[in-house]
Every structure is written in C-alpha cells, then in structure tokens.
C-alpha cells in the first residue's frame, strides 16, 4: 500500500466528526480511497457518503469506557484504544495468551450517512441510546444488562441519534462507530451508546455482526481466525476480550 502511505500527511488530524474539513483536507485523497481489504464481501453497502467504508474493527476491551476516558476509570483492557494515557500493546502485554485474545472482528455497515435510526435488517446496524451508570465504565455486566433490555426492531425505539455516525462510514476513523468495538454484547445482537447522556466521551457497547449465518469471524492475536458463534456465553466472550484478565477458558467454548 505504498500509494496509500505516501498520500497520508501525518502532521494533520483527520476527524470523523468533520471529514475533509479544515486541515484534514490535506488527507482527502486518502479518506476517499475505497480499500477492498477492509470490506467484507458478504455485507451489502447501504452507505451513501463519498468516503471509503469499513467492516473490520479492533478490540478495545470489555468496558463501556475502554476506548476513551481511560485516564479516569482505567478501563482499557483490550488491544486498541485512544491515546489517553494508553501505551501501545505488545505481545508481552497479552498475558492471557495470543490464541485466547481477540484482536479484530467485523461489523455490518449502516445506512445512508450520519444515521443511527431504525434498521430492520438482521443483524441490525441500529445503535440504542442507553445512559451509562456512574462508576461502571470499566465493567461489562452492568451495561450489558441495560443494553440487552432494548429492542432495536421497533421502529419507534430509543435510538442513539445524537451526533450519530452510520456504522462503517469512515475507514480511517477509530471511534466505536467505525474502527473499534468492545466485548460487551455477544455477536449479532445490537449496539448501545451512552450518547453523552452521562457526559462520557464515546462510551457504550459497540457490537460485532455479520451476514455469515450463526456467528462472526474473529482474528485472534496469534494471527488465527476463528468463527465465533452467536451462542457464545457472555463469560467466554468477555474473557477473550481481555488481554490480561487471567480467565480460564478452553478453545471449544468459543
């Protein structure tokens, strides 16, 4: 990908909130590129924005705040996070074992542009609005119980439409709507977002999903790809989402 690399200006910021605007226009060529290796051939593309799209996302861990706000709740326990007091993760940091730790998975793309409303497709790309309970930003279970109680298949559901970005809208963006996910909701359920209801920056439960019957593909940290079934238990799903959780888990449990 030398052509792609040579067009990136590493001295400027590009934003999911304002793509192509301001100084980020210096990277517009890169932002417009369609990269086939980032797109799942089994998924349809209902997005309408002009930028390159995305199906694959990196594992941030098991807490609603595992991507951002790590400086306040120390919840980053996955492999990819924002730069807020987080160091890059090396192999030596994955003490649960490379073959037992998820690195990347997939998400179905959303609809249109900047849309998080009703999506009747199964699995849905809809994101539900669920406020985060104070003090639980580093734990999966409290937010899981709130999120799983939602019903995204009701047209008048409580969707997270405030400041929304359609799933997979920008390949170069690492927010929960695009290049990252966490291990709270089990595969092919639905996603939830705090939507700043609690003043939290990008907290929630971005789920993984696919058009493959029965599950999703997960790239493990050792480079192997596993097909993880929808029926995986929450305990097993949460366990493979952490890099150093000291969980005991067998390969046949996922």
């Amino acid at each position: 990908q030398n052509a792609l690399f040579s067009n990136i200006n590493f001295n400027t910021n590009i934003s999911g909130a304002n793509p192509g605007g301001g100084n980020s226009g210096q990277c517009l060529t890169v932002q417009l590129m369609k990269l086939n290796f980032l797109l799942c051939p089994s998924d349809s593309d209902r997005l309408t924005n002009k930028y390159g799209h995305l199906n694959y996302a990196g594992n941030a861990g098991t807490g609603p705040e595992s991507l951002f706000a790590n400086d306040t709740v120390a919840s980053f326990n996955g492999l990819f996070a924002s730069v807020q007091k987080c160091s890059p993760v090396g192999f030596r940091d994955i003490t649960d074992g490379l073959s037992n730790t998820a690195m990347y998975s997939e998400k179905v793309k959303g609809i249109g542009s900047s849309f998080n409303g009703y999506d009747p497709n199964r699995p849905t790309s809809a994101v539900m609005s669920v406020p985060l309970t104070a003090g639980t930003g580093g734990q999966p279970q409290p937010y899981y119980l709130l999120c799983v109680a939602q019903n995204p298949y009701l047209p008048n559901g409580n969707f997270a439409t405030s400041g929304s970005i359609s799933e997979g809208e920008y390949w170069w963006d690492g927010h929960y709507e695009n290049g990252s996910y966490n291990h709270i909701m089990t595969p092919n359920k639905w996603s939830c977002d705090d939507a700043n209801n609690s003043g939290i920056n990008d907290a929630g439960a971005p789920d993984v999903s696919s058009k493959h019957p029965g599950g999703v593909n997960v790239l493990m940290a050792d480079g192997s790809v596993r097909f993880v079934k929808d029926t995986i238990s929450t305990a097993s799903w949460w366990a493979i989402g952490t890099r150093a959780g000291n969980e005991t888990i067998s390969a046949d449990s996922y």
Side-chain angles (χ1 to χ4, degrees):
Q1 299 296 323
N2 287 336
L4 172 65
F5 182 83
S6 64
N7 278 286
I8 298 175
N9 182 351
F10 289 100
N11 294 318
T12 190
N13 292 325
I14 53 178
S15 168
N18 185 26
N23 292 333
S24 66
Q26 299 175 39
C27 284
L28 186 59
T29 299
V30 173
Q31 293 171 279
L32 293 172
M33 287 183 177
K34 178 183 177 181
L35 305 175
N36 289 328
F37 63 86
L38 296 180
L39 300 171
C40 177
S42 298
D43 187 27
S44 59
D45 196 335
R46 300 171 292 166
L47 295 169
T48 58
N49 67 307
K50 63 182 180 180
Y51 300 98
H53 301 156
L54 176 69
N55 279 108
Y56 302 118
N59 166 30
T62 60
E65 295 183 66
S66 55
L67 181 66
F68 282 102
N70 185 65
D71 53 340
T72 58
V73 295
S75 60
F76 172 46
N77 59 0
L79 301 187
F80 302 97
S82 79
V83 296
Q84 295 178 328
K85 298 185 179 179
C86 294
S87 300
V89 174
F91 284 170
R92 66 182 180 183
D93 302 312
I94 308 174
T95 58
D96 285 348
L98 302 182
S99 63
N100 287 327
T101 306
M103 183 163 67
Y104 256 75
S105 191
E106 54 187 333
K107 297 192 287 188
V108 296
K109 295 186 290 294
I111 302 172
S113 179
S114 300
F115 175 77
N116 268 343
Y118 175 59
D119 177 6
N121 281 11
R122 292 180 183 267
T124 182
S125 68
V127 180
M128 310 307 292
S129 180
V130 177
L132 178 64
T133 303
T136 63
Q139 307 167 42
Q141 185 170 13
Y143 200 76
Y144 169 82
L145 294 175
L146 294 173
C147 186
V148 79
Q150 302 293 311
N151 186 348
Y153 296 107
L154 296 176
N156 60 346
N158 187 30
F159 300 107
T161 57
S162 175
S164 62
I165 297 175
S166 301
E167 293 290 309
E169 198 166 352
Y170 310 122
W171 75 261
W172 35 264
D173 179 64
H175 289 83
Y176 273 155
E177 302 88 352
N178 291 298
S180 61
Y181 77 97
N182 65 27
H183 280 246
I184 296 179
M185 299 293 284
T186 50
N188 288 324
K189 282 281 195 303
W190 50 82
S191 298
C192 292
D193 186 82
D194 178 74
N196 290 323
N197 291 323
S198 304
I200 301 299
N201 184 16
D202 270 40
D207 195 23
V208 295
S209 54
S210 81
K211 296 295 179 65
H212 313 305
V216 296
N217 290 305
V218 177
L219 173 66
M220 309 303 284
D222 67 347
S224 64
V225 176
R226 313 282 180 87
F227 187 75
V228 177
K229 296 179 180 179
D230 298 345
T231 54
I232 185 174
S233 68
T234 54
S236 295
W237 183 242
W238 297 342
I240 66 172
T242 66
R243 67 179 184 274
N246 297 317
E247 304 96 344
T248 301
I249 185 172
S250 61
D252 59 4
S253 64
Y254 60 90

